[in-house]
Amino acid sequence: MKRYFVIAACAVLILGCEPKPNSSDLVKSMVVTTDYDNTVDFTKYSTYYLPMDTVSYFNSSDPNASDTLQCSACTGYNSQLGTYPSVITSELKSKLDLTGYTQVGKKQSPDLRVYVFIVENYSVSQSYAYNPYGYGYGYGYGYGYGYGYPTVSVSDQADLYVEIFDLKNLSKGKPSLIWYSDIGDLVSSPDLGTLTVNAIDQAFKQSSYLKK
Amino acid sequence: MRKILLTILLAGVCFISGNAQYYYDRSKNPDKNTGKISSPKSGRDFDRFYFLSWDNNSPMSNKDFISQSSSLGTKLGFRKRLNDEDKFWVGADFGWAVYKQYFPTQTYTSGVQSVTTDLYNYAYTYSLSANLDYFFLPMEKIFVPYAGLGIGGAYDKFAQYYNVYGSQSSSWGFLVRPEAGVLIGFKENSPWRIKAAFHYDYSTNTSSDFDYKNFMSMGFQIGLVKMAW
């Protein structure tokens, strides 16, 4: 009888070892982070430039680490994303138009430049910083609770970054980063298109200062 | 002279063997147990027991992180009678509990940064303690209340999960656990019993990441006891 008692005890102890949340529950919505330069008056901008057919893409396993344009007609690395870049840029345009800014062409002297890119398989704790204009402020994770750098529970993970640069007031001759949003995870999302649109909406919702 | 010496030696051997018989099996000499074991036992003289309990706990510290009670926990332990008195029993407990709480999606703002996510906060606690229990009634009774104190170590891990991301920290601490409860037998001097007890845990485990300065909880355990001899 004692043997059964010990077996039952061990079973209970082992079964109880560190349960975690159900992974399908965890990815029901994306994590949306936004940050901005609080010295900037966003009401002084009027126009923005956003390429509608391109989203830059960086992958740590990409043999060619340079920018890879992603759109339905592109043939670059991971081009199977199909229309997904268009879903992103369309929603961004919709939200930016609602803020009162007007989309213009690259040669029409826009006040703002919206830069969109996806980063896949880079270590979260390593933090990713990219600035097409050569400098800006680097950023990573942390999420503001003072909880330190997070870990990632999956082997493949990707984040969508949206950055807004100030072309109107150059700093040392170069545009400066005045707003960014980090949205993730894209890879584990059960409904990538819908959840990405919802996340972009949330990014603008929590950035009420983004208005003309 | 030689006959006298042999007679004394024989008498001595008989005396020693008689005493040895008495100390070898005290249960056969109930009159000698008066004042020690409270009353002669009708069955086995159990001098140790093992138990496995289902442990329910409510966190008492840092309720901003987790305030919900936990029903996910067990305690496994044993006790051995300290001496012929049925009052004091010593032993050890191993216990674990998992606390968890879900925070629906909301936006957290700190300075210029805002984050929107839902959160799953978890605390995993493990403890190992040395225990001393005082039983107020003889162990062969059906209903035996007790009070006890456990002192030992605790290992706590605090974790926060959001989407595929997560943060965690862990720490060791010193544990004190006062406890009061009862053993309920199915009959007099029952080999199987029910254990029901309340306990209060205080441990010095800290986590600056999750704002824990200690970890306190109140718990109720109910389980099965196997008496042994």
Side-chain angles (χ1 to χ4, degrees):
Chain A
M1 183 61 83
K2 191 188 293 181
R3 187 191 311 162
Y4 297 123
F5 189 79
V6 171
I7 291 170
C10 291
V12 170
L13 289 171
I14 292 166
L15 287 174
C17 282
E18 299 196 0
K20 290 178 180 172
N22 188 309
S23 56
S24 61
D25 290 337
L26 279 168
V27 297
K28 280 190 294 191
S29 60
M30 294 181 180
V31 180
V32 180
T33 305
T34 54
D35 203 342
Y36 72 105
D37 183 346
N38 62 357
T39 64
V40 169
D41 181 0
F42 287 90
T43 64
K44 293 185 176 176
Y45 303 104
S46 298
T47 56
Y48 70 92
Y49 167 62
L50 168 66
M52 295 301 291
D53 59 349
T54 60
V55 170
S56 297
Y57 177 74
F58 302 90
N59 190 319
S60 62
S61 59
D62 189 345
N64 179 8
S66 60
D67 278 12
T68 307
L69 301 182
Q70 300 292 306
C71 66
S72 55
C74 294
T75 56
Y77 187 89
N78 213 25
S79 59
Q80 70 271 19
L81 283 173
T83 58
Y84 181 58
S86 302
V87 170
I88 296 169
T89 53
S90 297
E91 189 62 18
L92 282 172
K93 174 179 166 26
S94 162
K95 302 312 288 186
L96 285 164
D97 289 348
L98 282 175
T99 62
Y101 302 138
T102 305
Q103 186 180 30
V104 296
K106 189 177 183 180
K107 295 178 180 175
Q108 293 177 280
S109 300
D111 296 336
L112 302 169
R113 162 59 151 107
V114 182
Y115 186 68
V116 187
F117 61 101
I118 291 171
V119 177
E120 184 169 6
N121 269 339
Y122 276 82
S123 165
V124 171
S125 59
Q126 153 186 353
S127 99
Y128 194 85
Y130 180 77
N131 188 324
Y133 299 104
Y135 73 97
Y137 57 88
Y139 47 86
Y141 286 74
Y143 294 160
Y145 312 136
Y147 292 171
Y149 286 107
T151 56
V152 181
S153 60
V154 291
S155 56
D156 188 10
Q157 172 262 334
D159 279 27
L160 166 67
Y161 291 86
V162 180
E163 298 178 334
I164 296 180
F165 289 88
D166 182 354
L167 303 181
K168 194 176 181 182
N169 307 294
L170 301 181
S171 174
K172 295 179 182 175
K174 293 183 177 179
S176 54
L177 179 63
I178 57 173
W179 181 86
Y180 83 82
S181 178
D182 172 357
I183 293 167
D185 168 47
L186 307 183
V187 175
S188 303
S189 178
D191 185 349
L192 185 59
T194 303
L195 293 186
T196 301
V197 167
N198 292 344
I200 291 171
D201 291 351
Q202 177 58 41
F204 281 86
K205 186 180 174 186
Q206 68 194 46
S207 304
S208 54
Y209 43 82
L210 269 180
K211 61 186 175 187
K212 187 175 182 310
Chain B
M1 185 64 180
R2 200 173 169 185
K3 281 185 180 176
I4 294 171
L5 283 174
L6 275 173
T7 306
I8 292 171
L9 186 62
L10 192 59
V13 167
C14 290
F15 177 77
I16 290 168
S17 63
N19 266 347
Q21 177 65 29
Y22 165 68
Y23 284 111
Y24 177 71
D25 189 357
R26 303 180 79 150
S27 61
K28 291 181 178 174
N29 299 274
D31 55 321
K32 300 292 185 185
N33 289 329
T34 305
K36 293 187 175 180
I37 295 175
S38 302
S39 60
K41 295 191 188 310
S42 54
R44 296 287 187 186
D45 181 18
F46 298 119
D47 63 356
R48 59 189 188 276
F49 66 80
Y50 305 88
F51 67 89
L52 176 64
S53 296
W54 176 39
D55 203 12
N56 298 268
N57 294 277
S58 295
M60 305 293 288
S61 53
N62 195 13
K63 291 187 175 181
D64 287 343
F65 188 70
I66 295 175
S67 62
Q68 283 183 356
S69 296
S70 159
S71 58
L72 195 55
T74 60
K75 276 193 168 50
L76 178 67
F78 78 95
R79 296 289 185 275
K80 182 167 175 42
R81 194 168 66 197
L82 196 57
N83 50 32
D84 289 342
E85 297 281 349
D86 241 4
K87 305 288 188 187
F88 288 101
W89 295 61
V90 294
D93 285 3
F94 171 75
W96 64 266
V98 178
Y99 304 82
K100 54 186 177 181
Q101 186 156 353
Y102 174 67
F103 292 88
T105 300
Q106 57 181 298
T107 301
Y108 304 89
T109 298
S110 175
V112 294
Q113 190 179 62
S114 296
V115 182
T116 299
T117 185
D118 53 347
L119 296 170
Y120 292 82
N121 291 352
Y122 277 64
Y124 309 94
T125 66
Y126 305 89
S127 64
L128 185 62
S129 61
N131 294 67
L132 176 65
D133 292 345
Y134 179 83
F135 288 83
F136 294 99
L137 292 173
M139 196 54 90
E140 66 265 27
K141 298 288 187 188
I142 291 178
F143 189 87
V144 190
Y146 75 94
L149 182 69
I151 294 175
Y155 174 76
D156 291 352
K157 187 158 91 177
F158 307 104
Q160 188 169 58
Y161 304 101
Y162 41 98
N163 202 277
V164 299
Y165 316 103
S167 306
Q168 66 180 44
S169 72
S170 58
S171 72
W172 287 91
F174 175 73
L175 169 79
V176 178
R177 178 189 297 135
E179 181 176 310
V182 62
L183 298 189
I184 305 168
F186 298 104
K187 59 182 182 180
E188 288 247 329
N189 210 30
S190 175
W192 288 92
R193 306 181 191 205
I194 299 292
K195 173 177 177 160
F198 287 97
H199 60 87
Y200 171 83
D201 286 22
Y202 173 85
S203 64
T204 60
N205 300 62
T206 61
S207 170
S208 56
D209 286 346
F210 296 100
D211 204 24
Y212 274 97
K213 296 176 176 61
N214 53 51
F215 192 84
M216 294 184 287
S217 65
M218 289 193 72
F220 172 72
Q221 57 169 309
I222 185 158
L224 198 59
V225 177
K226 174 70 176 77
M227 305 299 294
W229 64 94

